């Protein structure tokens, strides 16, 4: 089985980290390739960034179909391009926010999302609603660390831990969902510190795709996610 993990941003070090975290959980015989689009924003933390990265995400899934991948993960917490990617993929396509929120629903009464910047909170709430889990999402909290500083800022870990602790208290929740693929490597450490389940969407999405492929399940091509007619494009 081959799974293509698409990091919608173009920061190569983050793509490498996402690949490591994905391979750490994938099963025997599963090949995981982590890629990012050849052009696009270095991080996704606004509606504008999401719109700008989506064509690159879809291109990676289209090329993945030619390359023979069995399924795809969209490794950015806003799940940019997810629905368009489903239209062009035969196998399953899973976004990390969707996988993390659905996984968290198994683990407690409610969950808190800890995201990067405050401006991403509205979109996170919107997607929780669209996935039907907004009743379980007790709160969305920002640690105010930009995506590209998650690795370089020596205070980042500590700030994320503080944000998780205060989210659990403020929301009265019992599970933490990490709101950025760039936090994937902190998941084990945070669950040890917090003593509650901490869900990393990269791991959750990879295992969800793996499970769906093993079950022989792919994206339904009846109706909304049928292959769309490819249209003539005007201009460059
Ligand atoms: C993200 C993410 O997962 N990747 C990225 O570039 N931005 N999420 C976020 N909340 O900022």
């Amino acid at each position: 089985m081959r799974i293509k993990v698409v990091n919608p941003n173009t920061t190569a070090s983050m793509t490498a980290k996402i690949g490591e975290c994905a391979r750490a959980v994938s099963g025997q015989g599963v090949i995981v390739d982590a890629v990012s689009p050849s052009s696009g924003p270095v991080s996704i933390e606004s509606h504008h960034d999401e719109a700008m990265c989506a064509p690159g995400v879809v291109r990676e899934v289209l090329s993945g179909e030619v390359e023979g991948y069995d399924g795809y993960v969209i490794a950015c917490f806003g799940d940019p391009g997810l629905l368009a990617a489903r239209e062009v993929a035969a196998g399953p396509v899973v976004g990390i926010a969707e996988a993390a929120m659905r996984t968290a629903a198994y683990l407690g009464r409610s969950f808190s999302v800890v995201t990067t910047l405050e401006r991403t909170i509205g979109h996170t709430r919107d997607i929780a609603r669209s996935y039907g889990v907004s009743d379980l999402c007790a709160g969305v909290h920002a640690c105010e660390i930009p995506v590209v500083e998650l690795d370089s800022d020596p205070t980042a870990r500590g700030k994320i831990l503080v944000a998780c602790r205060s989210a659990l208290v403020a929301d009265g929740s019992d599970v933490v969902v990490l709101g950025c693929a760039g936090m994937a490597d902190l998941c084990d450490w945070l669950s040890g510190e917090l003593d509650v389940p901490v869900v990393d969407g990269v791991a959750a999405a990879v295992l969800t795709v793996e499970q769906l492929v093993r079950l022989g399940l792919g994206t339904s091509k009846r109706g909304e996610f049928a292959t769309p007619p490819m249209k003539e494009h005007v201009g460059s």
Side-chain angles (χ1 to χ4, degrees), residues 9 14 43-45 75-77 96 115-116 120 147 179-182:
N9 77 42
M14 192 163 149
S43 63
I44 319 296
E45 45 203 4
C76 171
F77 204 78
I96 65 168
T115 182
T116 52
T120 67
V147 174
C180 180

Side-chain angles (χ1 to χ4, degrees), residues 6 13 29 41 52 65 94 109 122 128 140 175 186-189 222:
V6 182
S13 57
M52 298 305 281
E65 290 298 279
V94 175
R109 172 61 64 180
V140 184
V175 178
L186 302 179
C187 187
D188 288 349
W189 173 72
R222 181 179 188 275

Side-chain angles (χ1 to χ4, degrees), residues 14 17-25 73-77 94-104 107 112 114 175-191 196-208:
M14 192 163 149
K17 176 165 77 175
I18 289 168
E20 275 170 35
C21 293
R23 279 186 282 273
V25 296
V73 168
I74 298 185
C76 171
F77 204 78
V94 175
I96 65 168
E98 181 179 24
M101 291 180 189
R102 294 199 197 285
T103 300
L107 306 173
S112 299
V114 173
V175 178
V176 169
V177 166
L178 299 178
C180 180
M183 299 175 184
D185 57 330
L186 302 179
C187 187
D188 288 349
W189 173 72
L190 285 168
S191 37
V196 296
V198 178
V199 183
D200 156 41
V202 174
V206 166
L207 290 176
T208 302

Side-chain angles (χ1 to χ4, degrees), residues 31-86:
I31 296 166
V32 173
D33 294 319
V35 302
S36 43
S38 55
S39 67
V42 294
S43 63
I44 319 296
E45 45 203 4
S46 67
H47 296 292
H48 179 263
D49 292 339
E50 292 229 348
M52 298 305 281
C53 78
V57 170
V58 176
R59 271 196 297 274
E60 285 300 331
V61 175
L62 278 168
S63 63
E65 290 298 279
V66 178
E67 292 154 353
Y69 283 94
D70 298 290
Y72 304 86
V73 168
I74 298 185
C76 171
F77 204 78
D79 296 349
L82 176 64
L83 301 184
R86 283 197 177 132

Side-chain angles (χ1 to χ4, degrees), residues 133-216:
V133 295
S134 55
D135 283 355
L136 309 176
C137 180
V140 184
H141 302 258
C143 62
E144 287 307 332
I145 303 165
V147 174
V148 292
E149 290 175 24
L150 285 168
D151 281 337
S152 60
D153 179 351
T155 68
R157 267 176 175 252
K159 284 182 182 160
I160 293 167
L161 178 60
V162 168
C164 291
R165 281 211 174 103
S166 53
L168 288 164
V169 173
D171 296 344
S173 59
D174 35 29
V175 178
V176 169
V177 166
L178 299 178
C180 180
M183 299 175 184
D185 57 330
L186 302 179
C187 187
D188 288 349
W189 173 72
L190 285 168
S191 37
E193 293 290 321
L194 295 166
D195 209 22
V196 296
V198 178
V199 183
D200 156 41
V202 174
V206 166
L207 290 176
T208 302
V209 169
E210 193 178 317
Q211 165 185 277
L212 292 169
V213 173
R214 281 198 200 291
L215 289 168

